[in-house]
Amino acid sequence: MARVLTISLNPALDLTIGLPALALGEVNRTDETHLSAAGKGVNVARVLVSLGHEVVVSGFLGADNDGLFRRAFADMGVEDAFQRVPGETRINAKLAEHSGRVTDVNGPGVAIEAEAFTGFLDELDARAADESRRPDAVVIAGSLPPGISADDQAALIARLRAQGLPVWVDTSGPALASAIAAAPSGVKPNELELADWAGEPLDNEPRRLAAGLRLHQSGIEDALISAGADGVLWVSHRGAWHATPPTMTVASTVGAGDTLLAAMLHGVLEGHAPDAALRFATALSAEAVRHVGVGNSRAADFPYLQQQTRVRRLNDVDAGGALA
């Protein structure tokens, strides 16, 4: 198995609130509430650990409320390489209704000073240069905190790539556009997040395929575009592939995208056949939506979910990024 470094520049404590339906301006009664250490990179780490990989988690945490993170990392069995900074890590509220609709109320995050970011970069350089600590892949996931710009993240990607490290990115907005320009190894946007970059709604398969081919042509080795029940598109040197997930009763979509990224990276690192890798990742992401949290590959019916996941090859992709 591989050693993977996940970077969460703006992690959060997730306050997940389950309720029948959100009534604005009224008192709402909840079914459950749960406060957990989260952030997209932390969720990716959870999945990778469950699949047997050695994982190091890094980024920035507020020193004043890192207790839940410390306990979570110990329980997960990952190396905690987060840099502590003054202040509190943000708390994000996720209101999950029975219909499957999730309303996110996200804080901006703790401000990162230039000196702290420089120290973080120096530590990454030292890790990359040390064969005993050098990761086989890096995942940068989530939003950016105050003090770190989209250009800073792009420079971070370029720095890691210059050291010969595979880098996968999952972010949105201007940070996604800048990340794509820095040509990471892989990106995993959903169709809504990628639409601004593509310049049009990605509301059907031909448009998503065209966007995936553009990503691949720009130098991104693995372009992974998720579109909910419409499935997952994967464009790489292995060809253009599409997976349709099994029909699921959606309880929460929180963690499904992180599960997809982690499971696809797992398949790539382990050298699995393309159809098997995409089927596994899509099915595991589907498993995640029926409960709060990331996908569980040990679920009793997971083999059935894989069987119900339809994978088809669209065609070959040539070096120029067009269908052969």
Side-chain angles (χ1 to χ4, degrees):
M1 291 293 181
R3 178 187 296 127
V4 182
L5 171 67
T6 70
I7 296 176
S8 303
L9 296 172
N10 198 23
L13 290 168
D14 272 0
L15 177 60
T16 303
I17 302 170
L19 71 170
L22 178 63
L24 297 178
E26 299 181 16
V27 174
N28 290 263
R29 303 296 181 183
T30 67
D31 295 330
E32 60 178 347
T33 58
H34 182 64
L35 184 64
S36 62
K40 296 182 72 63
V42 175
N43 290 337
V44 169
R46 281 192 172 93
V47 178
L48 289 171
V49 167
S50 75
L51 297 175
H53 296 280
E54 178 185 344
V55 180
V56 180
V57 291
S58 183
F60 298 96
L61 285 174
D64 295 348
N65 64 341
D66 70 342
L68 276 178
F69 286 96
R70 289 182 182 274
R71 290 193 291 274
F73 299 154
D75 291 343
M76 291 162 59
V78 300
E79 178 187 340
D80 178 5
F82 270 92
Q83 181 172 332
R84 269 59 174 182
V85 296
E88 293 188 346
T89 299
R90 62 185 177 147
I91 297 177
N92 291 342
K94 296 182 180 295
L95 307 174
E97 301 174 68
H98 288 182
S99 65
R101 184 176 68 172
V102 177
T103 301
D104 290 336
V105 182
N106 292 346
V110 64
I112 307 302
E113 302 292 338
E115 183 178 356
F117 190 56
T118 298
F120 171 74
L121 296 176
D122 290 344
E123 168 55 27
L124 290 182
D125 289 344
R127 184 176 292 274
D130 183 347
E131 287 300 323
S132 68
R133 299 194 299 151
R134 180 181 172 88
D136 298 301
V138 179
V139 175
I140 302 173
S143 63
L144 302 179
I148 296 181
S149 68
D151 288 341
D152 290 332
Q153 180 183 253
L156 169 60
I157 294 167
R159 188 171 184 142
L160 293 168
R161 294 292 286 142
Q163 294 164 335
L165 294 172
V167 180
W168 287 48
V169 178
D170 184 6
T171 188
S172 59
L176 174 61
S178 293
I180 291 171
S185 310
V187 294
K188 192 229 67 67
N190 63 39
E191 84 279 18
L192 299 177
E193 293 166 341
L194 192 60
D196 285 344
W197 175 85
E200 63 177 355
L202 301 181
D203 50 5
N204 58 48
E205 185 177 292
R207 287 180 173 180
R208 290 192 288 271
L209 178 58
L213 291 170
R214 279 181 58 196
L215 288 171
H216 186 66
Q217 188 175 24
S218 73
I220 293 173
E221 298 165 22
D222 292 281
L224 194 65
I225 304 171
S226 59
D230 288 337
V232 179
L233 173 71
W234 180 28
V235 181
S236 76
H237 67 85
R238 306 161 190 82
W241 297 79
H242 181 269
T244 303
T247 301
M248 308 295 292
T249 299
V250 177
S252 172
T253 58
V254 176
D258 307 328
T259 297
L260 177 66
L261 185 156
M264 278 303 307
L265 179 57
H266 165 73
V268 169
L269 290 171
E270 294 300 301
H272 294 166
D275 58 336
L278 184 56
R279 178 175 289 105
F280 178 86
T282 303
L284 192 59
S285 180
E287 198 286 327
V289 306
R290 61 185 181 181
H291 57 80
V292 174
V294 297
N296 176 18
S297 62
R298 298 180 179 86
D301 63 344
F302 184 64
Y304 173 78
L305 296 182
Q306 290 194 83
Q307 292 172 7
Q308 295 300 306
T309 300
R310 184 166 63 92
V311 176
R312 57 195 173 97
R313 185 169 187 166
L314 302 180
N315 212 325
D316 293 329
V317 179
D318 67 19
L323 288 179

